[in-house]
Amino acid sequence: MIREYHRPESIEQAVDLFRKHQGRACYMGGGAQINAPDSGAGCDCAVSLAGLGLESIATGRDDVIIGACATLQSVADHPDMPQALREAAGFLRSRHMRNQHTVGGDIAARKHDSFTAAALMALQATVQTADQGEMSVEEYVSGTSDALILSVTVPAQGKRRCALFRQNRSQRGPLLMNMAVGRDTDGDNPVIAVSGAGIGLTRLPETEALLASGADTEQIARQAASEIAPTGHWLGSDDYFRHLCGAAAAHCIGQHA
Ligand SMILES: Cc1cc2nc3c(=O)[nH]c(=O)nc-3n(C[C@H](O)[C@H](O)[C@H](O)COP(=O)(O)OP(=O)(O)OC[C@H]3O[C@@H](n4cnc5c(N)ncnc54)[C@H](O)[C@@H]3O)c2cc1C
């Protein structure tokens, strides 16, 4: 439960407050996660980011810079955003939630069922932080950094292709499989980001290598199915999740064609 609330007016103040209360402080973007009773966030001191002016989205020639406090709804609505990212942000099931969740909070929460984080990884997006420089979204999500994210840089529309697959048990039900496959426009630098029930957000490097080598869709689907590591989940058998992963890869590659 949040017992202490700070509303800093500068980035320096925010980082100082966070470090001063290290271990019990958390940054508050939209607050969806840290206020959820079952979040396990373990923080009782909120450092609000609301007064820092981090909501804007700026479009350049080669990239789009998204403020960490831009909401998923504003990403889904933005005409200059890569189409796959708009779609991924829109997957979060209600407008109310999309209006609350921020891009920075979505990345920092490191949720396995984040469609946005998978799409950002496939797009090779980077985060700019206040206290630990710049790093890829993948590094942030797979690491333990608690740096304050200021912005996220994604390639401009048309600079990188990205296709998505997602399957939930039902419209509001838990995630079964989530995949984003990104490639440069010439087909180079493939990134496959995948997560699912009992499967943390990860990449499939061997399937990526096969994709780069020009292998056909069937081979790639087989490799993807064998490369994920299901851990046994009540939502389905390991064989089922492997099958779903292969189908996801085939679907995404079909979208690129
Ligand atoms: C009902 C409900 C449903 C949800 N459904 C989903 C879902 O379908 N998919 C999914 O991925 N997640 C889901 N979540 C989890 C979570 O709410 C989001 O992933 C995301 O964290 C919400 O963004 P926020 O801005 O509200 O985060 P907050 O709650 O403000 O913060 C979340 C975490 O990120 C940190 N943080 C926030 N902003 C920054 C920043 N700029 N820099 C560094 N750290 C920061 C905070 O310290 C905290 O640890 C759900 C949560 C709830 C309550």
Side-chain angles (χ1 to χ4, degrees), residues 28-36 68-74 92 94-103 105-106:
M28 183 167 145
Q33 171 75 9
I34 63 173
N35 283 303
C69 292
T71 64
L72 294 192
Q73 186 63 48
S74 64
L92 188 64
S94 80
R95 177 174 278 266
H96 161 73
M97 287 162 76
R98 294 193 297 272
N99 275 329
Q100 182 178 15
H101 293 208
T102 65
V103 172
D106 191 288

Side-chain angles (χ1 to χ4, degrees), residues 20 23 35 40 43 46 63 67 71 104 114 128 130 141 146 161 187 189 226 234 238 252:
K20 187 172 154 201
N35 283 303
C43 89
D63 43 37
T71 64
S114 170
Q128 293 71 48
V141 168
D146 60 1
R161 289 184 287 169
N189 292 318
S226 67
W234 62 272
D238 289 0
C252 290

Side-chain angles (χ1 to χ4, degrees), residues 29 49 88 90 125 139 141 171-173 175 185 195 209 215 229 240 254 257:
L49 306 178
E139 279 175 278
V141 168
Q171 201 268 336
R172 293 177 62 85
L175 175 73
T185 45
S195 64
Y240 172 65

Side-chain angles (χ1 to χ4, degrees), residues 230-249:
T231 51
H233 198 278
W234 62 272
L235 278 167
S237 66
D238 289 0
D239 281 350
Y240 172 65
F241 287 117
R242 287 191 187 286
H243 169 78
L244 208 49
C245 184

Side-chain angles (χ1 to χ4, degrees), residues 44-190:
D44 66 1
C45 170
V47 178
S48 170
L49 306 178
L52 305 184
L54 299 176
E55 297 81 15
S56 62
I57 297 176
T59 310
R61 204 188 57 182
D62 294 326
D63 43 37
V64 180
I65 300 175
I66 309 167
C69 292
T71 64
L72 294 192
Q73 186 63 48
S74 64
V75 169
D77 286 342
H78 203 286
D80 298 334
M81 208 57 77
Q83 189 54 33
L85 190 55
R86 294 184 67 177
E87 265 176 56
F91 284 160
L92 188 64
R93 59 181 176 262
S94 80
R95 177 174 278 266
H96 161 73
M97 287 162 76
R98 294 193 297 272
N99 275 329
Q100 182 178 15
H101 293 208
T102 65
V103 172
D106 191 288
I107 294 169
R110 299 186 171 92
K111 290 285 180 187
H112 84 288
D113 57 346
S114 170
F115 307 118
T116 312
L120 287 169
M121 276 169 65
L123 285 164
Q124 296 189 311
T126 55
V127 291
Q128 293 71 48
T129 74
D131 38 346
Q132 290 171 23
E134 180 165 16
M135 64 186 97
S136 66
V137 168
E138 181 183 349
E139 279 175 278
Y140 197 103
V141 168
S142 57
T144 55
S145 171
D146 60 1
L148 171 59
I149 300 170
L150 300 177
S151 57
V152 184
T153 301
V154 297
Q157 243 177 38
K159 295 277 174 196
R160 194 165 159 82
R161 289 184 287 169
C162 183
L164 310 175
F165 173 95
R166 61 144 190 175
Q167 182 80 54
N168 285 33
R169 192 175 63 153
S170 62
Q171 201 268 336
R172 293 177 62 85
L175 175 73
L176 295 175
M177 187 65 55
N178 172 35
M179 183 180 282
V181 178
R183 306 170 82 176
D184 291 345
T185 45
D186 59 7
D188 285 349
N189 292 318

